[in-house]
Amino acid sequence: QVQLVESGGGLVQAGGSLRLSCAASGTILSINAMGWYRQAPGQQRELVARFTSGGSTIYADSVKGRFTISRDNAKNTVYLQMNSLKPEYTDVYYCSLVLGLNYWGKGTLVTVSS
């Protein structure tokens, strides 16, 4: 059983920063395939940033240069540093981990006010 718990969301003004965290617990062999996705009401969940199995990173074009994904393997935790936030980044952000199955956290709401 794998659990993912996100934290760090909240309300921030445009131009501000937030850092999201996702802690994985349970039977974790690796957090290599871990990443962040976002979803607006009635919309499909879409990639924000993730690690590839080879250790490189992939970012959505809309966040390149503003967001940075990082991880602490010892803590089974992945982070998303979000800088220069814009109102269009307002969404629920979900953590994902692929270990054969695709596990998801419950999400954390990020609201960016103009």
Side-chain angles (χ1 to χ4, degrees):
Q1 190 76 5
V2 173
Q3 296 84 38
L4 302 176
V5 178
E6 302 101 335
S7 61
L11 173 64
V12 64
Q13 287 189 334
S17 298
L18 283 175
R19 190 175 85 149
L20 306 184
S21 300
C22 176
S25 62
T27 306
I28 308 295
L29 298 179
S30 167
I31 61 168
N32 285 348
M34 210 159 176
W36 290 95
Y37 291 73
R38 57 188 286 194
Q39 187 172 23
Q43 302 296 317
Q44 286 191 330
R45 198 166 293 185
E46 60 183 35
L47 172 71
V48 176
R50 70 176 179 88
F51 288 100
T52 68
S53 58
S56 58
T57 54
I58 296 175
Y59 292 91
D61 288 342
S62 60
V63 306
K64 285 180 180 177
R66 296 176 184 265
F67 292 8
T68 303
I69 189 171
S70 61
R71 63 189 177 194
D72 185 333
N73 290 329
K75 295 181 179 180
N76 284 339
T77 299
V78 67
Y79 305 95
L80 185 69
Q81 180 66 43
M82 310 166 69
N83 296 331
S84 302
L85 284 163
K86 301 186 289 185
E88 48 262 51
Y89 293 140
T90 295
D91 260 333
V92 178
Y93 285 72
Y94 295 90
C95 177
S96 167
L97 173 61
V98 179
L99 287 174
L101 298 176
N102 195 338
Y103 297 93
W104 294 96
K106 293 183 178 181
T108 184
L109 176 63
V110 171
T111 303
V112 184
S113 64
S114 57

